[in-house]
Amino acid sequence: MTASLYDSLLEPDAQRTQFGAGEIPVAVYGLGKMGLPLASVYAEHTGNVTGVDIDETVVERINVGDCHVQGEPGLPALVESLVADGSLTATTDAATAAADAVLHVVMVPTLIDDRNNPDLSAVKAAVDEIAAGLAPGDTVIFESTLPPRATTDVLRPRLAEESGLAGDCFGVAVCPERTSSGRALADIRGTHPKVVGGVDDESGRVAELVYGELVDNDIVRVADATTAEAVKVFEGLYRDVNIALANDLARLTGELGVDVRAAIDAANTQPYCDIHTPGPGVGGHCIPYYPYFVLNWLDGQPATLATARSVNDAMPRFVVDRVAEGLAVTRAASIADGGVSMADDRSDATPAPDEVLDGATVAVLGLTYRAGVEETRASPGIDICANLAARGASVLAADPLVDAEGLTATDVPAEELPDHAPDAVVLATAHEAFEALDWTALPPTVVVDGRDVLDLTGTDHRLYTVGRGWQ
């Protein structure tokens, strides 16, 4: 028996019973690293979920109980059990899934084009598939992160137009994911309160009811769908701006002559202060992109957001500048040791930073944006590699999770780094595997630590830590 949640005459308790009994078929569109965990949580509560993805290989693997998403504790076993008991199936046939479902959950990404404009093409494609099977009483929930007003101005009208239904006979809500890679199941189940907002009161009520069954945490129902969209975007904007502040302060380390990280830690003992941590840049599929959901979507142009983006985008170059600075000093010291006076010929004694990078061998440790996460989107490590190569360096890249395919860098296992005797090393991502690197096996080298994890005491390396300076 198929039931409906939107505009139903049943009492909420009866609807909850139907939802838990699988009488409300669910389709989840997008089975990537966040979509598959979400579909799995829905399936463990309802026993009646169809996951939709355009990738045939992904669908085939899921349908034999094989989880293609790596690095998510508990997910492989959960997928295997849900597929085995029929609670979760996968398909590339979105039209059939949409026709069979009553609750449609969209978890495809909002992209950014080459001009940093929000690109809703993937979400629109899912909307068109849903619209082909949309029926009165259905509800569409967007978990995708969306630019504010995208649902009311673009997606809901498109659903109505493509389905031929009046906009008030189906529900639409925004319930943005608040999930991090590596802890998806825990986050979906309720690490954080769940924010929900509907395009109308009934849509908001349905979203609140559904997630009240899925989430072991508070449900924060906001005024409308646009507010829900804004909440998710604002979270990312706060972090981007705060990290930019930390990075700007880190740039003052040399001039101030203080350990900026220590100063930040002390400042944060005041309860009204929460300065984030400086680093080599900001990566991932969220924070670097959300500012453009405002800057290149709305008419207003908040100067703070644009400035923060420029600061954080500049950090990979700042890191490379420190490499060049260290090599220049090392080269100058070598010249001085060879009998050349620093005062004799300044251009020879102290090479220009860009010149000293030309022909140098520099190893970059870490190509993913975060330790332990197989995600390279907007990764500072990749930008550091590109900047080094553009300035004439020969770049080696080591990462236990991904390779350097498509980069101007040569893959080198971290344990083999001493064999290549690099002139400099940059730690861009603090993968646990790098803890085993034998720094004493490397010849004296310039090392730039973007993550404040290295202790090279007792070695001859010249260490610069972002936020602490030269040590």
Side-chain angles (χ1 to χ4, degrees), residues 237-238 240-241 290-291 294-295 301-310:
L237 300 184
Y238 166 75
D240 198 43
V241 171
Y290 293 170
V294 175
L295 293 170
Q301 291 294 300
T304 303
L305 304 186
T307 300
R309 268 292 77 223
S310 65

Side-chain angles (χ1 to χ4, degrees), residues 292-385:
Y292 301 115
F293 287 15
V294 175
L295 293 170
N296 293 351
W297 180 263
L298 303 176
D299 292 334
Q301 291 294 300
T304 303
L305 304 186
T307 300
R309 268 292 77 223
S310 65
V311 169
N312 290 333
D313 281 344
M315 287 307 292
R317 180 176 179 85
F318 174 81
V319 167
V320 174
D321 285 345
R322 301 291 72 74
V323 173
E325 181 180 71
L327 289 175
V329 171
T330 299
R331 182 81 57 86
S334 176
I335 292 172
D337 289 343
V340 179
S341 168
M342 294 289 284
D344 288 344
D345 183 344
R346 196 69 181 174
S347 62
D348 290 336
T350 309
D354 277 347
E355 293 176 1
V356 81
L357 281 171
D358 192 7
T361 298
V362 183
V364 177
L365 302 180
L367 297 177
T368 66
Y369 85 95
R370 184 157 68 87
V373 175
E374 190 179 350
E375 170 64 71
T376 60
R377 211 175 314 181
S379 173
I382 291 177
D383 289 341
I384 289 168
C385 288

